[in-house]
Structures are given as structure tokens and as C-alpha cells.
Amino acid sequence: MITRFFAWWFNFSGWKVKGTIPPEIKKAVVIAAPHTSNWDFVYSLAAFHILNHKVNYLAKKELFKFPLKFILNATGAIPVERSKSHNLVDTIIQKFKDTDNLYLMIPAEGTRKKVTKWKSGFYHAGLGANVPILLGYLDYENKLAGFGKVVHLTGDKEKDMAVIRDFYKEIKGQNPDNFDP
């Protein structure tokens, strides 16, 4: 219901979906970039809904209380313990091992503010779970949401990240000054 409303708003606002998830890809870490606005959440979930794909994302377990719990569950949130004593990457790897189909959306920047270096957890989770990285994007300049190439990680982080950064270099977030791939 909530994602249906997001999809309505997405279409009403003039956005379009470009690209899709190849049918043979049943599990992937989906980079959500650029992540420069709270609207990114709405448009990302709308794009998945329009393509008829279920997506999951991580949310700290403390948020899973009434009434937010119902919204989080309805939109695909997975509760996680984010304290230092719990290894989030290992938790993600286990989630992939425990399921046959999982698209896990992760904002690689880790925040909506400008960062000069992306978090690396998405990379280590994809590598550890042996799942590809799907390059999801929101291009506010062209009102396009979608998916770029599928990156099968080689273990050479520098080489793999160069491919990922190259893809995102022309994509504009809602607040373009806050995005630095």
C-alpha cells in the first residue's frame, strides 16, 4: 500500500524508470546512489514497486516500535543491531545465505551529507556473500531511476570501485554538491 502510493507520486512527479534487474540475478547488493535527500527513499522504493521487485534495506532495530514498525515492515526494512559488538557485514552475509531471493539496497555513502569516501560495507558484504553489486541510481536532473550494470566483484577492490565510480560520475542527486562518487 505504501509503496503503491510512492509509485503514484513517482509517476505524478514525472519520473521514469530506466533499466531493470536481469532475470537471472536473484540476489544482489543494490547500491542506492546518489543519496543526498530523504526523497531518495521514496523514489527508490517506487522504482522497485513499478518493476514488481521486492527490495529490502537495513534499519536499526530500535525503530521497530509502534507505529513506525508497520511502515518499516511494509516497505522491506530488515532490523539490525548496529552496535560495535555486532558485525553488520557478517549479518548481511548471513541474510544472503538464508534466502533464495534478496535485493538489499544500501546507500554506499552512508549519509545524505557530502563524503569524500564511500563506506565499504556494501563491497565486503557482496564479496563475502558471493553476490553481485547492482548499480541503482536516482538521476534528479533527468528524473530517471533505475539500474546500471551488474558488477561481479573480483576481490580487487580498487579495480572494482573504479568501475563503480565511473558509472556514477555523471549522475546528479537532488543536492548534487553532496555527491562525490
Side-chain angles (χ1 to χ4, degrees), residues 15 32-47 105 107 109 111-112 138 140 172-175:
W15 281 73
H35 182 41
T36 65
S37 163
N38 286 329
W39 282 103
D40 301 343
F41 175 76
V42 172
Y43 292 134
S44 296
L45 291 182
M105 186 168 54
E109 297 143 286
T111 181
R112 291 175 303 278
L138 294 170
Y140 280 81
K172 305 286 187 237
Q174 184 177 35
N175 300 300

Side-chain angles (χ1 to χ4, degrees), residues 47-105:
F48 273 93
H49 180 83
I50 289 166
L51 292 171
N52 202 28
H53 286 296
K54 181 180 183 232
V55 65
N56 294 101
Y57 60 95
L58 306 175
K60 56 185 174 182
K61 73 175 189 171
E62 293 81 14
L63 295 175
F64 285 78
K65 295 178 182 158
F66 180 82
L68 195 54
K69 176 181 181 176
F70 299 107
I71 295 168
L72 292 169
N73 287 331
T75 58
I78 297 172
V80 292
E81 172 65 53
R82 294 182 357 156
S83 71
K84 294 203 184 269
S85 64
H86 292 84
N87 188 333
L88 187 54
V89 170
D90 289 340
T91 300
I92 294 169
I93 291 169
Q94 192 59 50
K95 292 278 183 203
F96 276 109
K97 288 180 180 177
D98 290 345
T99 187
D100 293 330
N101 295 293
L102 177 61
Y103 301 120
L104 184 62
M105 186 168 54

